[in-house]
Amino acid sequence: MIDNKALDAQIAQSVAHLKQLFGAAPAVAVVLGSGWSGAVSLVQDAQHLSYAELSAFPQPKVEGHVSEVVVGHIGAQRVVMLRGRAHTYESGECTGMAGALRTLQRWGVKVLLQTNASGSLRPAMGPGSLMLIADHINAPQRSPLVGEPGSERFVDMSHAYDAELRAHAKQIAQATGQTLGEGVYVWALGPQFETPAEIRMFAAWGADAVGMSTVPETILARHCGLRVMGLALMTNMAAGLSAEALTHALTLQQAQASGDGAAQFLGAMVAGMATLPSLQ
Ligand code: HPA
């Protein structure tokens, strides 16, 4: 459960620090998931700040693991990228990104563009494919909003993934020749991979991709008023759908193999947001 009193002080510190270093907030924030870190090299005039300087952000645990924000431009669009996210499987808590996302919103960010690595439940959407998230399934039925006060906690999730931003993504995909699926992302708590029986159940529920992130952040973001979009990079066929054994190394390897193309598409999409009337 979030301790809002303690978190509010950390958010105030983090917002003040971001304002002091970078001025007004960019309209667009991008959370870089596994395989997406190549997108950092697309940021022009990039300025880096470690999460260690932002007390509301998840604090870096592993030495040598990059946890930072990167602020700059992609084309005409100013952007802040978040490298490093807290996963529920690390602590058992699904509230790990609350401080970071509320900081972004209070700073003035409007859009949270989430990226992740996922297992595919669709044979036609093999490793390397990109899927726009149209909707999600919260399989663990865990909420980062448990204990929140007020009626805002009853967040409408019926249009969680912004229709205008999805239309924008599809238009950029068409213009750049990028194949882009669209479907339902199901959150599995992890850290173990799913069983084949679980994957058959998720498929029967209507899921197209499975992963261990994104859903708590979408809930937190909608609660604080950020517009959300999500892009999933398929790194493997989900359990039982291919003969290959599932390992973290395999998903990282595939993420690396297709990450550059994914990052290019992400860059084109962010750059194109500079012309979206609703973001001016
Ligand atoms: N399952 C869960 N999370 C994942 C997978 C998967 O198959 N691939 C990448 N992240």
Side-chain angles (χ1 to χ4, degrees):
M1 210 156 93
I2 299 171
D3 176 350
N4 274 319
K5 203 154 170 255
L7 192 61
D8 276 346
Q10 295 174 342
I11 292 168
Q13 179 274 327
S14 302
V15 172
H17 201 40
L18 288 166
K19 273 189 184 156
Q20 186 196 6
L21 287 176
F22 306 120
V28 179
V30 179
V31 177
L32 296 174
S34 310
W36 291 86
S37 54
V40 170
S41 67
L42 304 175
V43 180
Q44 296 131 10
D45 319 316
Q47 289 179 280
H48 301 249
L49 179 68
S50 167
Y51 286 1
E53 305 292 321
L54 299 167
S55 57
F57 280 57
Q59 292 306 294
K61 277 173 239 128
V62 193
E63 198 103 13
H65 199 91
V66 188
S67 297
E68 63 173 13
V69 295
V70 182
V71 179
H73 285 84
I74 301 183
Q77 180 62 55
R78 222 166 141 246
V79 65
V80 51
M81 292 195 169
L82 274 67
R83 296 180 78 180
R85 60 152 58 99
H87 293 92
T88 306
Y89 62 71
E90 295 171 64
S91 65
E93 303 296 328
C94 59
T95 54
M97 293 302 284
L101 299 183
R102 289 175 187 176
T103 295
L104 294 176
Q105 189 273 334
R106 283 193 214 170
W107 185 23
V109 167
K110 304 292 180 215
V111 167
L112 182 73
L113 204 175
Q114 298 210 59
T115 61
N116 67 42
S118 297
S120 173
L121 277 69
R122 266 202 237 154
M125 195 167 65
S129 303
L130 281 182
M131 187 190 92
L132 187 60
I133 301 178
D135 201 350
H136 76 219
I137 297 172
N138 180 348
Q141 283 291 291
R142 298 275 306 273
S143 173
L145 302 180
V146 167
E148 283 295 310
S151 52
E152 299 82 27
R153 70 187 137 170
F154 301 108
V155 182
D156 181 6
M157 295 296 289
S158 42
H159 305 285
Y161 296 89
D162 193 279
E164 187 197 7
L165 297 176
R166 281 193 283 138
H168 171 67
K170 286 184 233 179
Q171 195 204 331
I172 298 291
Q174 200 162 34
T176 58
Q178 169 70 49
T179 304
L180 183 64
E182 187 175 24
V184 174
Y185 174 87
V186 59
W187 175 34
L189 187 58
Q192 76 287 345
F193 286 108
E194 301 71 39
T195 63
E198 286 165 345
I199 293 300
R200 290 194 296 275
M201 175 184 75
F202 289 154
W205 285 358
D208 301 292
V210 59
M212 303 177 195
S213 68
T214 306
V215 167
E217 292 94 319
T218 296
I219 296 169
L220 285 163
R222 293 305 300 141
H223 177 248
C224 71
L226 291 165
R227 295 169 68 184
V228 175
M229 76 173 296
L231 271 180
L233 170 62
M234 301 305 126
T235 52
N236 55 278
M237 294 310 295
L241 299 181
S242 97
E244 216 160 18
L246 282 177
T247 62
H248 188 52
L250 170 77
T251 61
L252 287 182
Q253 196 184 9
Q254 181 59 44
Q256 240 153 26
S258 32
D260 281 352
Q264 286 299 329
F265 175 65
L266 178 66
M269 211 171 57
V270 170
M273 285 177 169
T275 60
L276 282 182
S278 67
L279 288 183
Q280 305 315 306

